Amino acid sequence: MTQSGDECGRVPDPVVERLSVYSRVLTVMLREGAITISSADLSERTGFSATQIRRDLAFFGQFGTPGVGYDVWRLHARLERILGVDIERRVVIVGAGNLGTALIGYTGFREHNFRIVAAFDIAPGRVGVTTQQGVRIHHVADLGRIVADEKAEIAVLAVPVAAAQPALDVVVKAGLRAVLNFAPTQLAVPPGVRLRNVDLSVEMGALSFYLGQDS
Amino acid sequence: MTQSGDECGRVPDPVVERLSVYSRVLTVMLREGAITISSADLSERTGFSATQIRRDLAFFGQFGTPGVGYDVWRLHARLERILGVDIERRVVIVGAGNLGTALIGYTGFREHNFRIVAAFDIAPGRVGVTTQQGVRIHHVADLGRIVADEKAEIAVLAVPVAAAQPALDVVVKAGLRAVLNFAPTQLAVPPGVRLRNVDLSVEMGALSFYLGQDS
DNA sequence: ATGTGTGAAGTGCTTCACAGCG
DNA sequence: CGCTGTGAAGCACTTCACACAT
């Protein structure tokens, strides 16, 4: 059942991830002054096959011109709309240790229209601090109230393994439906909550594995 | 063609990633004093199906006992061997900014037998510094020599987007065959070099997308 | 009885091949 | 002619179902 223009059936995870890449490449091309781009050009810039790119875009209707390609500005705008990054997304960081503070300082968030509105920790030495970037570190006990006040939508978990599940429970109870977890551990989420994991230990393990393969 | 016990045909990427998770769970179970574990138990602890777990392990021969399960110690040792994390892997960090220093301070590396032997940057204020953890920050110009001296095997790229491809070229020229890239950009690698990407911008984009879906 | 290992079936993403439009 | 959009085929990973080992 094709809707007004935003959603068309269930979109495979790999497709969503590639859309993000397309969007990023188009941002660069816009700056370069490109007017149109073919799937073959996009293929060269992303490493994904031209067929795959056309197929991915076809999930959301057809906006290419046969014989010409895609209008860069229009396609970019459309992708940002689909990904929901045309509006500012408000993010909270849970855990203000090594990684948490690095994330707060990461300029890439702003560039992609994500705004860190607050951070949380439980260590007395960290709570109450305001970072260089102007992000206030609150106690996790205040998370529910602040998430509501700040209208945050996404939580990033940068806490130790042992604190990850409790932290997730807190952000879910606060009503957040999208969570990015950096703790290398399996977490249980209630249905309706989207959890994505960035697992450094898995990444390193995989690289280590391949070292032993082709040698 | 089953070899002496390490490799059996091409192993799918998803399998390798799950092996890492199994290994981590088994480490915990060892500490808890568990002797044997069934695929059903592992399933509960990892969220992967019992069938999938058995199938994954079957890639490397059979080491379960019908009616009993797997010997925790033996399976753990076997997985660490397969992943190549039974021996210490030496790692260099390229880029000692926000993220790079957070990675240097990340204790999880040591726990999984990865040792950060050096870091690299080009900013005069950073080069020459030795971090709290005892990691020396060198100039990228010295990367080739130090990688050889330190017998490093894995590079982690924590540099800005614009510096990522040059940085990759440098580490490849230095002979490194496994690279973990944090810069949100597509990189070109010569064949034989394993590149894995941790792309925060893709992760956030995907979460943002799902926010717009189920609401 | 209980739990592994695996052929066979199923599922879902990717690639091919080409009709059709500009 | 060039490039999109897509049915059909291909491929790869996952799940089913069950023989077999203890």
Side-chain angles (χ1 to χ4, degrees):
Chain A
M1 194 63 48
T2 302
Q3 226 185 341
S4 55
D6 232 40
E7 195 205 312
C8 307
R10 194 116 239 96
V11 182
D13 239 62
V15 174
V16 176
E17 286 163 21
R18 287 193 296 267
L19 291 184
S20 226
V21 175
Y22 305 153
S23 171
R24 180 163 69 211
V25 169
L26 289 173
T27 303
V28 175
M29 301 207 64
L30 264 181
R31 270 202 291 267
E32 291 174 357
I35 303 299
T36 59
I37 185 171
S38 68
S39 59
D41 294 340
L42 251 181
S43 169
E44 216 167 313
R45 298 234 186 187
T46 61
F48 303 122
S49 79
T51 302
Q52 184 161 64
I53 291 169
R54 293 199 299 276
R55 177 77 66 186
D56 286 350
L57 299 179
F59 264 98
F60 305 93
Q62 41 191 83
F63 25 31
T65 310
V68 180
Y70 302 90
D71 178 283
V72 176
W73 188 89
R74 215 167 69 82
L75 181 56
H76 180 255
R78 195 78 175 69
L79 287 176
E80 294 221 313
R81 179 99 172 46
I82 290 168
L83 289 170
V85 293
D86 54 330
I87 57 172
E88 184 182 79
R89 295 293 188 178
R90 299 169 74 82
V91 178
V92 295
I93 308 279
V94 185
N98 255 324
L99 178 60
T101 46
L103 292 173
I104 292 170
Y106 180 54
T107 57
F109 277 112
R110 291 311 296 272
E111 286 164 24
H112 294 276
N113 223 359
F114 295 99
R115 160 104 144 268
I116 298 174
V117 293
F120 297 89
D121 210 304
I122 51 169
R126 291 175 189 156
V127 174
V129 174
T130 299
T131 70
Q132 293 174 316
Q133 296 80 20
V135 175
R136 185 74 184 278
I137 302 175
H138 305 267
H139 194 281
V140 171
D142 299 327
L143 191 143
R145 179 174 56 78
I146 291 165
V147 160
D149 288 355
E150 294 282 3
K151 295 185 177 29
E153 296 176 294
I154 301 176
V156 176
L157 264 47
V159 299
V161 167
Q165 186 67 58
L168 178 61
D169 296 343
V170 169
V171 302
V172 167
K173 181 168 282 183
L176 294 175
R177 294 296 187 82
V179 181
L180 182 58
N181 169 49
F182 281 87
T185 186
Q186 255 50 40
L187 297 178
V189 281
V193 176
R194 289 286 174 171
L195 173 68
R196 290 184 68 96
N197 295 287
V198 172
D199 195 324
L200 208 52
S201 114
V202 165
E203 299 298 330
M204 296 299 289
L207 285 174
S208 172
F209 172 83
Y210 293 122
L211 280 176
Q213 290 304 100
D214 17 65
S215 66
Chain B
M1 193 63 50
T2 301
Q3 228 185 340
S4 55
D6 233 39
E7 196 205 311
C8 306
R10 194 118 240 93
V11 183
D13 239 61
V15 174
V16 177
E17 287 164 20
R18 287 193 295 266
L19 291 183
S20 226
V21 174
Y22 305 153
S23 171
R24 180 164 70 212
V25 169
L26 289 172
T27 304
V28 174
M29 301 208 63
L30 265 181
R31 268 202 291 267
E32 292 174 356
I35 304 301
T36 59
I37 186 171
S38 67
S39 59
D41 293 340
L42 252 181
S43 169
E44 217 167 314
R45 298 234 186 188
T46 61
F48 304 123
S49 79
T51 303
Q52 184 162 64
I53 292 169
R54 293 199 299 276
R55 176 79 64 186
D56 287 349
L57 299 179
F59 265 97
F60 305 91
Q62 42 192 83
F63 24 31
T65 310
V68 179
Y70 303 91
D71 179 284
V72 176
W73 189 89
R74 216 167 68 83
L75 180 57
H76 180 255
R78 196 78 174 67
L79 287 177
E80 294 222 313
R81 180 98 172 48
I82 291 168
L83 289 170
V85 293
D86 54 329
I87 57 171
E88 184 181 78
R89 296 292 187 179
R90 300 168 75 83
V91 179
V92 295
I93 309 279
V94 185
N98 254 323
L99 178 61
T101 45
L103 291 172
I104 292 169
Y106 180 54
T107 57
F109 278 112
R110 292 310 297 271
E111 286 164 22
H112 293 276
N113 223 359
F114 295 99
R115 161 101 146 268
I116 299 173
V117 294
F120 299 89
D121 209 304
I122 51 169
R126 291 174 188 157
V127 173
V129 174
T130 298
T131 70
Q132 293 175 316
Q133 296 80 20
V135 175
R136 185 76 183 278
I137 302 174
H138 305 267
H139 195 280
V140 170
D142 299 327
L143 190 142
R145 179 174 56 77
I146 290 166
V147 160
D149 288 356
E150 293 283 2
K151 298 185 176 25
E153 295 177 296
I154 301 176
V156 177
L157 264 47
V159 300
V161 167
Q165 187 68 59
L168 179 61
D169 296 343
V170 170
V171 302
V172 167
K173 181 167 280 180
L176 294 176
R177 294 296 187 83
V179 181
L180 181 59
N181 168 49
F182 280 88
T185 187
Q186 257 47 41
L187 297 177
V189 281
V193 177
R194 289 287 174 167
L195 172 69
R196 291 185 66 96
N197 294 288
V198 172
D199 194 325
L200 207 52
S201 114
V202 166
E203 299 297 331
M204 296 299 289
L207 286 174
S208 172
F209 172 82
Y210 292 122
L211 280 177
Q213 290 305 99
D214 17 66
S215 63

